[in-house]
Amino acid sequence: MNRIAGYFKLGEVFRYFVRVFRKPDPNHPTSFNLRLMHGINRISIVMFLIAVMIYIIRHI
């Protein structure tokens, strides 16, 4: 039962969503690839949320 409950723990996912939209920590080194990856993730998160809203609106 603990394995199944582990799949539904979404706390880490939501923490990543919040973290990806924050300013980067100046103590951690960043590279162009890392900044580009976070930028693409921001775009995909926003597109996903827009798609979910459109889906909900169409089915109400």
Side-chain angles (χ1 to χ4, degrees):
M1 188 66 172
N2 288 338
R3 271 184 57 204
I4 294 173
Y7 287 121
F8 292 105
K9 289 185 180 181
L10 298 176
E12 292 183 28
V13 173
F14 290 120
R15 272 182 266 163
Y16 178 76
F17 285 164
V18 172
R19 188 177 68 224
V20 82
F21 286 103
R22 286 187 189 161
K23 294 274 185 187
D25 187 11
N27 296 330
H28 292 276
T30 59
S31 66
F32 174 75
N33 293 332
L34 186 62
R35 289 193 320 253
L36 188 64
M37 180 193 69
H38 284 298
I40 291 170
N41 285 347
R42 287 182 192 121
I43 293 169
S44 65
I45 290 168
V46 169
M47 288 177 63
F48 173 75
L49 293 176
I50 290 171
V52 168
M53 288 189 302
I54 291 171
Y55 181 81
I56 289 171
I57 290 170
R58 286 186 179 178
H59 285 86
I60 288 183

